[in-house]
Amino acid sequence: MTTVTVVGVDGGVLPAGAEVALGKSRLVVGTRAHLAAHAAEAERTLIVAGADLPESILDAIDAAVRADEAATVLVSGDAGYFGALRSLRARGLPTVTWPSITDVQRMAAMIKRPWDDLTVVSARGRDFRHAVNVCRARKAVAVITAPGAGPAELARELFGWRRNIAVLEDLGGPHEKLSIVDATEAERRTWREPNLVFSLVSLDSVGHDHWLAGGEPVPPADGWALDESAFVTRSGIGIAPEVRALALARLAPRPGMLLWDVCAGSGALGIEAGRLGAAVIAVERDSALCVRIVANAGAHDVDLRLVDGDPPEALSGLPSPDSVFIGASRPEVVRACAGMGAQRIVVLVPELDRLGQVHKTLADAGYTVGGCQLSSADLTEVAGGIGVAPASSTFMIWGRR
């Protein structure tokens, strides 16, 4: 059976030897720019918008192979890296691949930055929201864009996070251009497609030297549910590590999701969620605690967004959350958060007389509700052995859609 030759184009240049396969092909598939540059004499061409191969194109390639007609697919860089190779192999089509360097490698070299610490995400289709949240959570992210999910749309969703946006537009085309702007400018401009975006906290940082590509892995090496001493707070404000551990388990923070930490206090819960890979918005009305949240986030290298205001009013206009933690049981705050559509919600309820009200609010909002009473008492060293410190107790209610 005839094979499909997949050729990576590196900034307009073909890998050595690929011209031979291209010259034998009756069908050539690629972007308009790639076809114009390398397949002007081809008997038959099909245009694609980017790295994705739609079903109609795959059908045409399949038909060519079955008719024993040579076919070539032109791609940017390496077809095996967020590219067409997976779609071809999933169809069971025999392939031969001639890769070039990826656009991510090429763009990183253009801005003189190592790229082994970059987290690379796809913004295509339903992945856009996840890609945005990774950009909110991490300091260096490369985004494989798509029509309708490009630099302007990404920059719009990064409002409230300090980011520089690097854009390589018209990839491989005659008007290829690198621009580095702030998020406001990126949202305002019109960008040529296809393009690639880097979301960077710092243009000058070279990142950390990791043993694993893609940035710091999660969960963090020193675990989670850190000791209360890991967070600066004030007397009477804070969540015991044991309580935090259960709350995190119910909230399930991970890369690609957005968590609201409402009535955040010292910010410990949200910061721990950020250390587990989630994007985080902390909402706190006490300005003195807001200062502590900033200090705690910096101490743990978590880049969260802080909203200094009183919920529920302060929640207006914020990006929709995937999970919500509420550190108080104020009825109006619980109602507002329950109406946001998050998949998971956890409410800390110190007051016994508010349990029924919180439970009903979550149930009425469509959640399957559970909860428990949590009591914890630290072991202490005493003369002659081990003692038990006075216990602290609270209630926790959670809901899941």
Side-chain angles (χ1 to χ4, degrees), residues 276-290:
L276 291 167
V280 177
I281 298 177
V283 183
E284 175 54 55
R285 64 179 177 177
D286 187 319
S287 295
L289 287 174
C290 286

Side-chain angles (χ1 to χ4, degrees), residues 30-393:
T31 65
R32 194 179 301 276
H34 288 158
L35 294 175
H38 304 291
E41 305 301 322
E43 180 177 331
R44 182 184 174 210
T45 60
L46 293 174
I47 298 172
V48 292
D52 290 334
L53 297 180
E55 288 298 315
S56 59
I57 297 291
L58 290 169
D59 289 341
I61 297 172
D62 197 344
V65 169
R66 294 183 185 280
D68 203 27
E69 297 177 354
T72 294
V73 179
L74 297 174
V75 300
S76 293
D78 182 358
Y81 190 76
F82 286 92
L85 186 57
R86 179 171 284 103
S87 298
L88 294 167
R89 291 295 306 275
R91 273 292 188 103
L93 293 168
T95 59
V96 174
T97 305
W98 296 75
S100 294
I101 67 170
T102 68
D103 288 323
V104 173
Q105 291 173 286
R106 195 160 60 86
M107 183 173 171
M110 292 172 74
I111 64 174
K112 305 176 180 64
R113 192 191 191 284
W115 73 283
D116 52 1
D117 69 311
L118 284 173
T119 301
V120 183
V121 297
S122 169
R124 298 168 187 155
R126 291 177 295 177
D127 297 327
F128 179 64
R129 177 181 170 82
H130 294 151
V132 167
N133 284 330
V134 173
C135 290
R136 290 166 173 162
R138 298 206 169 192
K139 297 183 177 181
V141 183
V143 184
I144 311 297
T145 60
E153 291 82 4
L154 179 67
R156 185 179 306 120
E157 296 298 325
L158 290 176
F159 176 81
W161 282 265
R162 181 175 53 86
R163 294 293 183 271
N164 298 287
I165 306 296
V167 183
L168 187 60
E169 58 181 320
D170 192 32
L171 286 167
H175 303 290
E176 183 176 272
K177 179 183 177 182
L178 175 67
S179 302
I180 302 176
V181 297
D182 61 22
T184 301
E185 177 65 17
E187 182 181 354
R188 187 163 47 230
R189 287 175 55 173
T190 299
W191 302 94
R192 291 188 179 96
E193 296 179 347
N195 51 60
L196 175 67
V197 173
F198 283 6
S199 169
L200 304 168
V201 167
S202 171
L203 295 174
D204 298 322
S205 171
V206 297
H208 297 292
D209 183 14
H210 292 303
W211 64 273
L212 180 69
E216 188 66 29
V218 294
D222 55 350
W224 56 95
L226 301 177
D227 190 78
E228 289 180 86
S229 62
F231 302 98
V232 178
T233 186
R234 68 170 183 242
S235 178
I237 303 295
I239 304 172
E242 296 78 12
V243 176
R244 232 182 298 127
L246 180 58
L248 290 167
R250 295 297 179 183
L251 293 164
R254 61 198 181 279
M257 66 161 286
L258 173 63
L259 179 138
W260 285 3
D261 182 7
V262 181
C263 304
S266 68
L269 190 287
I271 290 167
E272 294 236 51
R275 296 177 76 242
L276 291 167
V280 177
I281 298 177
V283 183
E284 175 54 55
R285 64 179 177 177
D286 187 319
S287 295
L289 287 174
C290 286
V291 173
R292 290 172 169 85
I293 291 172
V294 172
N296 287 328
H300 293 282
D301 200 27
V302 169
D303 189 22
L304 56 72
R305 176 179 172 183
L306 175 63
V307 176
D308 183 351
D310 193 9
E313 292 78 10
L315 307 178
S316 177
L318 296 182
S320 299
D322 299 289
S323 293
V324 178
F325 176 78
I326 311 173
S329 59
R330 291 163 53 194
E332 70 279 12
V333 176
V334 176
R335 276 195 304 273
C337 290
M340 291 296 172
Q343 289 298 308
R344 295 168 182 260
I345 186 167
V346 171
V347 186
L348 208 58
V349 188
E351 310 91 348
L352 177 62
D353 60 351
R354 284 189 176 174
L355 282 174
Q357 184 180 35
V358 172
H359 189 289
K360 184 178 186 303
T361 298
L362 298 189
D364 289 347
Y367 288 95
T368 300
V369 185
C372 68
Q373 180 181 12
L374 291 165
S375 297
S376 64
D378 292 334
L379 298 181
T380 60
E381 293 186 9
V382 296
I386 297 295
V388 179
S392 61
S393 179

